[in-house]
Amino acid sequence: MLHGRDTERRVLDELLSAVMAGHSGALVVLGEPGIGKTTLLDYAAKTATSEGARVLRGSGVEFEAELPFAGLQLLLRPALRHLDALPDVQAAALRSALGLAPAGGGDQFLIGLAVLSLLARLAEDKPLVCLVDDAQWLDRATVETLLFAARRLAEEGVLLVFGARAHFPAQGLPELKLTGLDASAATALLAEHADDLAPRLRYRLLTEAAGNPLALIELPAALGDAGSALDTHLPLTDKLRATFSAQLDRLPDATRWLLLVAAAEDTGDLAIVLPAAAGFGATVADLRPAERAGLVVVADGTIGFRHPLVRTATYQGAPLADRLALHQALAGALSGPEHADRRAWHLATASTGPDEAVAEELERTATRAGRRHGHTAAATAYERAAQLSPAVAERARRLVLAAEAAAEAGEVSRARSLAAAVTEPPEDPELRARLVQVDALARFGEGRASEAHRLLLDAANLAGLGPDQSLELLLEGSYFGWFAGQRELAESLDRLTALRHEPGGARGAMARLLVAAISVLLDRDVGPADLAALGEQAGLHADAPHQLLLVCGLELATGQDAAVLSLARRAVTEARAAGRIARLPNLLFLLAEAQLAVSLHRDALASATEGNQIAEDTGQHQWRGMHAGVLAYLTAIEGDDTRCRDLADSVLAAPDGPGTHRATWALGVLDLGRGRAAAAVARLATLAESPSAYGVAVTRSVPDLVEAAVRLGEPARAGEAFDRFTTRARSMRQAWADALVARCRALLGPEQEAEHHFTTALSLHGKDRRPFEQARTELLYGEWLRRARRKAEASTHLRSAKETFERLQARPWLERVEGELSATGVAGSGGGHATLRGPLAQLTPQELQIVRLAATGQSNRDIAAQLFLSPRTVGHHLYKAYPKLGVQSRAELASLTLHDPAAA
């Protein structure tokens, strides 16, 4: 009976009702040991089973924390026969993670997607409830995989519930925090398990237990023991542990040895426990006293402890010498390649000094873990191998490997700590360079880009490094310099131009692009360099993720938007196909920026929305700010004041955080569109004065500053920024940039030259069509023509602008152009209510993506694999989209126009 948990049961009942109706959900039940987490999970399992749902159960084990995906394997073991139903790349990734196949491609989050697909497959015939107890003891790879799957649950009919202590990292999932039972429930529970207590003892026990259900059940057993838990002032968990220890002390020696071996063996497999315990004189018959005492349960060839604290009390209560002996015995019992990792860790735990043979086994374990994307476990294994290394050189090498693995896992501070543990720099220059790279990457992750830049540029001069290795360090240092500032960029440029050899391949292409692009960004004479050609060459040769990202970033900053659009699309497609989910937030941001630049606003909305969600699901919070800045700008164009400010404020809450420039620009554009010229100038002038003068938002916001300053009657406020923009545009050699320069000159220059500049701008817009900017130029020209009393000519340009603003749903600009049309005497121009034309009008960004893919004939399974959803969720979105599009089946989608309206 569940005493005092009515509220908690209602929460679980509501989730179970939802999952029975085909929806999905997740919950984290948090609380101290013994507070009732397992009991609530038992309640969920019993209720789900009675309602016809399928139940999977798993649990974290403290001694498994260094074995990647051990917890996942335990949870999914009954479901592995369904792996063949998954897309091939997902099935391969999951098999690799579970040690059932060689290492494959993709990244750790692809494994999470495979788990999502597998759970959705299991839920196809009946709802599925997954319950994971003691989640705080799960290995990190399992935690990240299950959390990724949980965050992407939608309409699969799957419920995932974790039971964990308070420090379980499950940001973004709903939580249910358990506290102690109230006095009435505690009294009832105690009476149920110990109804013959004297009043004095009952009162004392209720006081000591403080509402903890396990304490109320277990502490009565300690009342008769000398020095019992009730006679101490230990914390409650320690009292419970002491209670279990007292029960263990009453067992025969052979039984205690058998339980001690079982406590140290993470699977509970009697085929391993019994041979290891035999050396201590224990046999299977010695299990009976522990079973009679209710300390363990033996079933299906495994031994399980009644509660994790029983396991902890068993293991921690043994002398150190005994623990070392039992780990050695377990290592001997674990033969065969399938047990190699567990054997290595038992040997390492049993070691009391340097041992190269054990260090080698641990290094092999670490290598296997890294190949399976268990980078945290790999770092731990490499670190322990370093501690066991007799030779200084081997210790240093393994510490470098540990630091690299920690950096790959995103554990920045740990990576730096491991790098700092190398007290004597390695003699091998390549290894020393790798050590510096880890240190630099960690500092960059901590927001110290300037230090990272300095470390790498200095390391490029290390004696003994080949020219290719030195150039690699220079290129990586230049990447960090991009985020550090103009001084660092200038130094990178000087070092690259001083190279004494002409590098070839990917590094050479990158170096040439960097020299040309940084020259443009620093407003230096770039000569006849063709940035588009250099970018194309570098993009084709890029052989590392950071190189591809740098190519896109440099091209975007130097105005090569068409090239970025093509390259980013290709990179996103390749990342989807290969399952490189962690790269997508960065790539989708670059794609969204390029789409926004060329007025593909609906496409940019879809890219930024997806990128923002994946960043959330993968814990890459730095990219949330970048995507929020793009989304804020899009809502500014649409005139959604509340949404724009909410998005921008979420970014600007961290003054130096990612996306602040784009968010500030968004607020400036919102003010400009709404006619708040003074507010727009205040924001955009501050942005123009930013030290990051080469930033995309800083540069491209200048035409908006010019327009706002002219409307305010203070054109000089934009003069210096416009001069810089003119210089940059000249180096970019792009028609769109030249068009904006001409438009600004029409606003700033002598009245008699304005028309020439406006017509020049429109001619240039025709060479590089960007509907939003072209419509803005036509609006400004139409305003000028109306003031010159040339109403017929004005109305022609204003009508064209109106049509574009309607397509783009740019309400503030539409209202402005309609006001101008009314002033020209054109009838029927009022209203100011933009309506997006075409079948895309009501689709959400995700529905738009799914509908477009479905229109090409792809199945739900194919679409799910690309968008990292479950097939059932894809079907749900299609079901909602059909009525909005006025169709009844996917066959009708092919006849619809599903491209971005701005591309028309």
Side-chain angles (χ1 to χ4, degrees), residues 251-261 277 280-283 285-287 289:
L251 297 174
D253 285 346
T255 300
R256 284 192 289 112
W257 269 109
L258 187 55
L259 294 188
L260 184 58
V261 173
F280 304 106
T283 67
D286 294 308
L287 281 172

Side-chain angles (χ1 to χ4, degrees), residues 696-897:
V696 173
V698 175
T699 299
R700 301 197 187 201
S701 63
V702 171
D704 297 320
L705 172 60
V706 169
E707 183 178 340
V710 169
R711 291 177 70 84
L712 186 62
E714 299 179 10
R717 295 280 296 274
E720 185 177 342
F722 177 60
D723 289 342
R724 289 199 305 269
F725 183 80
T726 303
T727 301
R728 184 72 51 81
R730 190 180 303 118
S731 299
M732 288 179 178
R733 302 177 186 176
Q734 293 291 304
W736 70 263
D738 294 337
L740 294 180
V741 169
R743 185 174 84 194
C744 290
R745 284 179 174 153
L747 296 174
L748 292 168
E751 186 72 13
Q752 62 271 23
E753 297 179 7
E755 183 165 19
H756 166 70
H757 292 308
F758 275 129
T759 55
T760 299
L762 289 174
S763 175
L764 290 165
H765 280 310
K767 296 178 180 178
D768 187 351
R769 192 165 182 274
R770 299 176 181 225
F772 183 60
E773 292 301 340
Q774 181 171 338
R776 287 181 61 184
T777 299
E778 289 188 293
L779 169 59
L780 290 166
Y781 186 28
E783 289 175 336
W784 183 89
L785 288 168
R786 184 189 63 78
R787 291 194 302 271
R789 301 184 183 278
R790 294 158 62 180
K791 293 184 178 181
E793 295 172 79
S795 66
T796 299
H797 291 287
L798 292 172
R799 285 177 184 276
S800 176
K802 178 186 176 182
E803 184 180 347
T804 299
F805 292 144
E806 284 178 336
R807 287 204 311 267
L808 295 176
Q809 213 170 15
R811 289 182 178 89
W813 314 96
L814 179 60
E815 291 168 4
R816 185 168 144 193
V817 78
E818 286 181 333
E820 286 293 321
L821 280 168
S822 295
T824 65
V826 175
S829 59
H833 300 292
T835 56
L836 189 63
R837 299 178 181 176
L840 308 186
Q842 305 301 320
L843 297 184
T844 67
Q846 192 162 73
E847 288 169 355
L848 175 61
Q849 287 181 297
I850 290 171
V851 163
R852 282 176 170 170
L853 291 171
T856 66
Q858 296 189 51
S859 67
N860 288 3
R861 184 180 182 221
D862 295 333
I863 297 169
Q866 287 193 56
L867 299 183
F868 313 123
L869 304 169
S870 71
R872 188 163 173 174
T873 295
V874 171
H876 174 76
H877 283 297
L878 281 173
Y879 178 78
K880 291 197 304 179
Y882 287 163
K884 298 177 182 180
L885 296 171
V887 301
Q888 296 182 345
S889 69
R890 81 194 305 126
E892 298 177 56
L893 294 176
S895 64
L896 299 180
T897 301

Side-chain angles (χ1 to χ4, degrees), residues 538-561:
L540 289 172
H541 285 87
D543 58 1
H546 71 272
Q547 290 181 351
L548 183 63
L549 294 172
L550 184 55
V551 172
C552 283
L554 288 169
E555 291 200 304
L556 190 65
T558 55
Q560 316 302 305
D561 298 340

Side-chain angles (χ1 to χ4, degrees), residues 321-600:
D322 289 351
R323 295 205 297 266
L324 295 176
L326 68 93
H327 282 292
Q328 193 70 49
L330 280 167
L334 290 164
S335 59
E338 70 276 16
H339 298 305
D341 294 338
R342 286 187 169 89
R343 168 184 164 81
W345 274 112
H346 282 300
L347 287 173
T349 306
S351 300
T352 58
D355 189 321
E356 179 59 24
V358 177
E360 288 176 356
E361 285 213 36
L362 269 181
E363 183 173 341
R364 287 191 286 272
T365 289
T367 301
R368 285 190 292 269
R371 288 173 179 165
R372 295 163 59 196
H373 306 294
H375 300 296
T376 296
T380 301
Y382 280 129
E383 182 180 13
R384 181 62 176 137
Q387 294 167 354
L388 293 172
S389 302
V392 173
E394 282 299 284
R395 180 179 185 275
R397 183 181 66 81
R398 287 165 176 152
L399 281 172
V400 172
L401 292 170
E404 289 176 333
E408 187 72 23
E411 298 181 42
V412 174
S413 59
R414 185 184 183 192
R416 282 205 67 196
S417 176
L418 288 165
V422 182
T423 54
E424 297 183 23
E427 293 183 5
D428 181 0
E430 181 183 353
L431 196 60
R432 289 179 67 184
R434 287 168 59 188
L435 185 62
V436 171
Q437 283 177 294
V438 170
D439 192 6
L441 181 62
R443 292 179 195 238
F444 179 69
E446 294 172 345
R448 299 155 69 180
S450 184
E451 293 178 24
H453 171 266
R454 169 53 46 210
L455 281 171
L456 289 169
L457 261 62
D458 288 348
N461 289 328
L462 281 173
L465 279 183
D468 286 345
Q469 294 168 310
S470 294
L471 180 55
E472 179 63 31
L473 293 171
L474 277 179
L475 293 175
E476 193 170 349
S478 299
Y479 177 71
F480 294 149
W482 168 270
F483 297 90
Q486 288 178 267
R487 180 178 59 82
E488 287 80 3
L489 265 185
E491 185 176 4
S492 297
L493 177 60
D494 293 341
R495 290 287 298 274
L496 288 167
T497 54
L499 290 174
R500 297 179 181 177
H501 69 290
E502 180 66 24
R507 294 185 182 92
M510 282 297 304
R512 287 186 288 275
L513 174 62
L514 271 167
V515 168
I518 296 176
S519 297
V520 169
L521 298 178
L522 299 180
D523 298 324
R524 296 189 182 182
D525 183 14
V526 71
D530 186 338
L531 282 168
L534 289 173
E536 182 179 3
Q537 185 181 25
L540 289 172
H541 285 87
D543 58 1
H546 71 272
Q547 290 181 351
L548 183 63
L549 294 172
L550 184 55
V551 172
C552 283
L554 288 169
E555 291 200 304
L556 190 65
T558 55
Q560 316 302 305
D561 298 340
V564 178
L565 187 61
S566 175
L567 187 58
R569 278 174 173 162
R570 189 195 87 193
V572 167
T573 300
E574 290 174 352
R576 291 190 195 281
R580 301 289 183 184
I581 300 174
R583 293 184 191 173
L584 279 171
N586 193 339
L587 291 171
L588 284 168
F589 168 73
L590 291 166
L591 179 58
E593 282 277 20
Q595 290 166 333
L596 186 53
V598 299
S599 299
L600 295 174

Side-chain angles (χ1 to χ4, degrees), residues 111-141:
I111 301 166
L113 177 62
V115 170
L116 174 64
S117 297
L118 182 60
L119 298 182
R121 172 67 180 83
L122 290 174
E124 285 181 0
D125 56 343
K126 61 172 64 177
L128 174 67
V129 176
C130 298
L131 305 170
V132 184
D133 207 354
D134 287 309
Q136 74 278 354
W137 298 130
L138 291 171
D139 58 279
R140 178 168 169 174

Side-chain angles (χ1 to χ4, degrees), residues 20 30 67 91 158 165 185-186 189 223 264 282 347 402 466 532 570 614 617 627 686 744 787 850 855 860 875:
M20 296 304 296
L30 295 172
L67 298 172
V158 174
R165 297 183 189 176
L189 179 62
L223 288 173
L347 287 173
R570 189 195 87 193
I614 294 176
D617 294 344
H627 286 290
T686 300
C744 290
R787 291 194 302 271
I850 290 171
N860 288 3

